[in-house]
Amino acid sequence: MGDFELKDEDLAGRIGILETKHSKLETPVFFPVVNPLKSEITIDDIKQLKFKQFITNSYILYKNNVIQNNVHDDLHFDSTIMTDSGAYQILQYGNININNSEIVNYQIKIKPDIAVFLDIPTGNIDNFEDAKKTVEDTIYRGKETLEIIKDEQEIVWVHPIQGGKFLDLLSYSAKAANNTSYKFLALGSPTVIMKEYDYATLIDMIFTVRSNISRGKPLHLFGGGLPQIIPFAVALGVDSFDSASYIIYARDNRYITRTRTYKLDELDYFPCSCPVCSKYSPKELMEMDKDSRIRLLALHNLYKILEEINDTKLAIKENRLFEYLQEKSYSHPAVYSAFRRLLKYAEYLEKYDPRVKGEIKGIFYFDETSFSRPEILRHYRFLDSLQKHNRNAVIICGDNLTVPVINDSKVRRILLKRYSDSDIYVALPFYGLIPAMISESYPLAQFEMPTELSTEVISKTITQISNFIKSKKYDNIEFANCEKSILSHIMSIKP
Ligand SMILES: [Zn+2]
């Protein structure tokens, strides 16, 4: 159990299959937190929403003696059940009345598909030494747990990675967890950071952990179930999420959308067509008794999270995750910050982004953030490695030509006339220069870009072209078709 197989990739994100005893889960996957002692959202509701998985807290099960036999029989669910350890309760209420060995043995007894040992959440600890202690204790308990479970093979055991906001601790903790036989790793307790909308820090934390563990091990993000942040975490390589936000928000009359959260009484209309929102108006929900309202709001919130997971998977499948993140980034300044922070890791995203993938789809370029696309990073690397063949170069401005530019009559004329004495390039926004002879190859001709470009895009492109010309030390540069080009300023570049 716990084998993980990759099916598709885009940026550093992936669609995979995680094998558990009761089902093969397609990732990225969301585990709704369900408390069997509360009736707001039941396991039957989870089934009706077609979830093949949920997470519940083994400490709560233990304390209330909920399970007599095993979780699947007693909770009437025949697909994947994950149990958390009670670490979240430590974070909320301080110490709890049970030790790691007890909670691990209890989980062995109740037989979930995925289980977590009792780690020590770093939470929002500000003191480095205190934070370090949570990391060391968690690593120690990870080892202790391996001795308790011995050759138990049916449960996939999760090793949480602690360290909070201290990236060096996270990196240390990630390496230590990666060097164990645990097949499933998790980033612990960013809940406080999520509450403060500090998504940029969350991006740093995810990158630190993901880049220090093996690509073959799936990574879970505890408490990371907000639609705003899911695709960004997935792009870095997070494979699963869990969260109770859908129900906690519902108790507080908060309505989740794919981009933000509203107070129910602020809404005149429901921007959603899920079964709840097509049946009721905001006013009707407000006037309903509290229990029914919480339940319906929670159901709606779950629909939104499911939609986000599916849309993110679709974007991976279609190779347009980068464009999807660009689109999402404008939903909230905090999300925009997360996106900008993610661009800091563009090289990492490029490293895992597949070069060729099935049917070729055109790339959409928008603004200067598009310079961080894997395709552009690779093109610049290619230009760096390019050898010049002639001492002269001809640069044809290509933004007002038909694509592929090689078929344009102007380009053909210049190629025929100058091919023997000059290197011939086409200048295009974002790409900078493209050798005319290869201008048909992917992705140099398969793109769409706006006719109105920002000054940043134009000046970044011109700087790129200028650096290229200087580095290749041409004796002479000629420009063609550039007078009316958006890149006309390149005509002032001297070799
Ligand atoms: Zn809805």
Side-chain angles (χ1 to χ4, degrees), residues 255 270 272-278 300-301 303-304:
Y255 177 96
F270 279 143
C272 172
S273 306
C274 80
V276 174
C277 301
S278 10
H300 155 83
N301 289 345
Y303 274 109
K304 291 294 111 176

Side-chain angles (χ1 to χ4, degrees), residues 209-376:
V209 167
R210 189 71 256 189
S211 60
N212 279 296
I213 62 176
S214 137
R215 183 87 179 143
K217 294 197 184 193
L219 178 66
H220 182 83
L221 178 62
F222 276 117
L226 276 184
Q228 294 93 305
I229 206 67
I230 284 173
F232 296 90
V234 168
L236 280 168
V238 170
D239 302 291
S240 60
F241 302 85
D242 76 281
S243 173
S245 58
Y246 72 95
I247 185 74
I248 296 171
Y249 282 27
R251 286 178 199 138
D252 194 27
N253 283 343
R254 282 188 290 166
Y255 177 96
I256 293 178
T257 73
R258 302 270 297 282
T259 51
R260 68 189 66 188
T261 307
Y262 291 97
K263 293 290 279 182
L264 184 59
D265 58 7
E266 289 170 354
L267 283 175
D268 290 317
Y269 311 96
F270 279 143
C272 172
S273 306
C274 80
V276 174
C277 301
S278 10
K279 195 163 172 198
Y280 302 100
S281 70
K283 194 164 170 278
E284 283 167 332
L285 272 195
M286 276 311 287
E287 286 165 357
M288 206 171 270
D289 69 279
K290 192 167 163 240
D291 289 350
S292 316
R293 179 171 64 239
I294 292 175
R295 180 183 148 69
L296 289 170
L297 265 180
L299 283 173
H300 155 83
N301 289 345
L302 275 175
Y303 274 109
K304 291 294 111 176
I305 297 170
L306 260 183
E307 259 181 42
E308 190 58 51
I309 292 275
N310 285 338
D311 225 351
T312 303
K313 279 159 87 170
L314 188 63
I316 292 177
K317 201 91 197 162
E318 298 207 313
N319 219 16
R320 50 174 191 82
L321 188 53
F322 194 93
E323 287 151 31
Y324 185 56
L325 300 180
Q326 282 178 313
E327 189 190 324
K328 292 283 288 189
S329 72
Y330 280 108
S331 61
H332 189 281
V335 180
Y336 186 76
S337 303
F339 178 57
R340 300 301 300 214
R341 189 64 61 89
L342 185 80
L343 297 183
K344 241 178 75 182
Y345 306 118
E347 299 278 346
Y348 177 81
L349 301 180
E350 187 276 331
K351 187 173 159 193
Y352 293 107
D353 184 77
R355 271 140 213 273
V356 237
K357 195 169 120 174
E359 189 191 330
I360 284 173
K361 293 203 171 64
I363 294 170
F364 292 171
Y365 294 105
F366 294 101
D367 53 21
E368 78 278 11
T369 60
S370 297
F371 282 93
S372 301
R373 290 192 69 113
E375 295 85 356
I376 293 295

Side-chain angles (χ1 to χ4, degrees), residues 431-448:
Y431 291 105
L433 295 182
I434 291 171
M437 294 302 283
I438 61 154
S439 58
E440 248 179 318
S441 60
Y442 182 79
L444 307 176
Q446 297 76 17
F447 61 82
E448 302 277 345

